[in-house]
Amino acid sequence: MNKETLKAYILNLINRIIADDFPGMAAEMAYMFVIGIFPLMLLLMSLYGWLGKKYILFPILDFLSNVAPNDAINLLKKVLGEVIIFEHGGLMAIIGFSIVLGLSSNVFAVIMKGLNRAYGLQETRSFIYTRILSVVMLFINAFLLFISTNLIVFGKVIIEFIIQYIYVPQEIIHWILVTRWPVAFVALYVMTFLNYYFLPCITKHNKYRRKSILAGTLFFSVFWLLGSWLFSVYLNNLNTYNKVYGTIGAVAILMVWLYYTSIVLLIGGEMNSQVYKQLLIKRSNSH
C-alpha cells in the first residue's frame, strides 16, 4: 500500500467514524456494558463454580488490573462480593441464572448493533437467532477467557507441579513461562476474531469476510491492551477522577474505560468493513 492509498484509507476511515456517529454509538455501548458487565462477571463466577474453579474469577480481575484502572476492577470485586443471587440454590438459583444470562447476552447484542452500523447493515436475522447467537458467543468468550487466564495466572503453579514428577530443563521452563503472555494475546486475538466474524449481519462471501477482519482484529487487540494500560497508569498515578467525582469516581472510571473499549471495537469493525468492501469491489471487477 503506497502513501496516497494509505492516506485515502485513513481519511475515509475518519469520515466513516464521524458519519456513523461512533462517539455516540460508543456511549450507548458503554452504558449497556455497565448494565451487563456485573451480570456477566456473576455468570462467569457461576460457570467457573460448576467447573470447580469459582475462585478463578478474582485472579482474572487481578490480571485485568494490569491493563485496566484499579478503581474499576475494585468496583467489580466489591459488587461481586456483595451479590447473593446464587447462594439460596434451587429455584432461586435457576431464576437468578436465567436473569443473569439474559442481561449478560445484552452485552453481545449491543456489540452486534454497533458492528452492523460499522458495516452499514440492517439486522435481518430474527430476534431469537440473535439472542441464541449472543448466548453462544458469551460461552465461547468465557471459555477462551478461562483458558488464557489459566495459562497466565496458574501457568507457573502447573509447571511447579509437573517438575515434582518429571524432570524439565530450566531453559524449557523459562521458555514456557515467557510464552504464556503471547499465548494470552493470541487468545484475545482469537476471541476478538470470532466476535468480528459472527456478530455482524453478513450472510454471504464468507471467504472475504474471514480475510477482511484480520486487520481490525489486530487493531483492537493491540490498541485495547495498550490504551487500557496507559489509561490505568494515568489514573493509578494521578487519581484525578476521585477528586472530581468523589465516591462515584470508580463508576466514572469504569464508564470511561468501557467507552474506550467500545470505540476501539467500533473502529476495528469499520476497518474490517472497509477491507471487506474493497475485496467485494475487486471480486466484481475480476468478473
Side-chain angles (χ1 to χ4, degrees):
M1 182 182 293
N2 57 45
K3 290 184 178 180
E4 291 300 320
T5 304
L6 179 61
K7 181 180 178 181
Y9 174 81
I10 294 174
L11 289 175
N12 185 52
L13 181 65
I14 294 172
N15 289 332
R16 291 308 309 168
I17 290 171
I18 296 172
D20 289 338
D21 188 26
F22 278 180
M25 185 70 216
E28 179 184 347
M29 289 176 65
Y31 173 79
M32 293 304 297
F33 280 165
V34 170
I35 299 298
I37 192 169
F38 296 106
L40 176 61
M41 291 296 173
L42 185 60
L43 179 65
L44 291 178
M45 181 180 287
S46 64
L47 290 175
Y48 297 158
W50 292 335
L51 292 172
K53 292 190 176 183
K54 182 177 179 178
Y55 59 86
I56 198 176
L57 185 61
F58 288 98
I60 289 176
L61 294 175
D62 290 335
F63 167 66
L64 286 176
S65 66
N66 292 320
V67 294
N70 287 338
D71 286 345
I73 300 301
N74 291 335
L75 177 63
L76 291 175
K77 288 181 178 179
K78 181 179 179 181
V79 172
L80 289 174
E82 293 174 353
V83 171
I84 58 172
I85 194 169
F86 292 121
E87 289 185 0
H88 298 290
L91 181 61
M92 181 62 185
I94 295 173
I95 294 174
F97 182 81
S98 301
I99 294 172
V100 166
L101 186 62
L103 292 173
S104 300
S105 64
N106 283 338
V107 172
F108 293 91
V110 74
I111 294 175
M112 283 186 199
K113 181 180 178 180
L115 293 180
N116 283 336
R117 178 177 292 188
Y119 278 89
L121 299 171
Q122 293 292 327
E123 184 60 70
T124 58
R125 299 168 294 189
S126 68
F127 175 80
I128 295 176
Y129 177 86
T130 56
R131 276 295 164 177
I132 293 175
L133 178 60
S134 297
V135 172
V136 171
M137 292 306 297
L138 171 62
F139 283 100
I140 290 175
N141 280 268
F143 175 75
L144 289 173
L145 185 63
F146 180 80
I147 295 297
S148 60
T149 309
N150 263 296
L151 286 172
I152 293 174
V153 178
F154 299 105
K156 190 173 183 179
V157 176
I158 293 171
I159 291 172
E160 289 175 353
F161 175 78
I162 292 175
I163 62 177
Q164 292 179 0
Y165 302 95
I166 302 173
Y167 172 73
V168 180
Q170 191 64 36
E171 294 79 8
I172 295 179
I173 294 175
H174 176 73
W175 181 82
I176 292 174
L177 292 175
V178 170
T179 55
R180 289 180 300 160
W181 294 97
V183 168
F185 177 82
V186 170
L188 174 63
Y189 185 91
V190 171
M191 189 163 58
T192 307
F193 180 92
L194 293 174
N195 288 322
Y196 277 141
Y197 185 82
F198 288 107
L199 294 180
C201 185
I202 302 175
T203 57
K204 56 184 178 180
H205 305 304
N206 288 335
K207 180 176 70 173
Y208 299 112
R209 180 165 52 157
R210 285 193 295 271
K211 291 181 180 179
S212 67
I213 60 179
L214 296 176
T217 302
L218 181 62
F219 171 85
F220 175 82
S221 300
V222 171
F223 277 85
W224 181 78
L225 286 172
L226 180 62
S228 296
W229 176 72
L230 291 174
F231 184 50
S232 68
V233 170
Y234 163 74
L235 289 175
N236 296 337
N237 287 279
L238 296 181
N239 199 27
T240 55
Y241 270 77
N242 285 337
K243 296 177 182 177
V244 176
Y245 291 98
T247 56
I248 64 169
V251 178
I253 290 170
L254 180 63
M255 282 289 295
V256 173
W257 179 50
L258 292 175
Y259 179 84
Y260 174 77
T261 300
S262 300
I263 202 161
V264 172
L265 186 66
L266 289 172
I267 293 173
E270 184 61 49
M271 292 176 65
N272 296 337
S273 170
Q274 296 300 317
V275 175
Y276 180 72
K277 291 171 183 176
Q278 288 298 319
L279 290 174
L280 292 183
I281 291 173
K282 289 181 180 180
R283 176 179 177 274
S284 62
N285 291 338
S286 64
H287 287 76

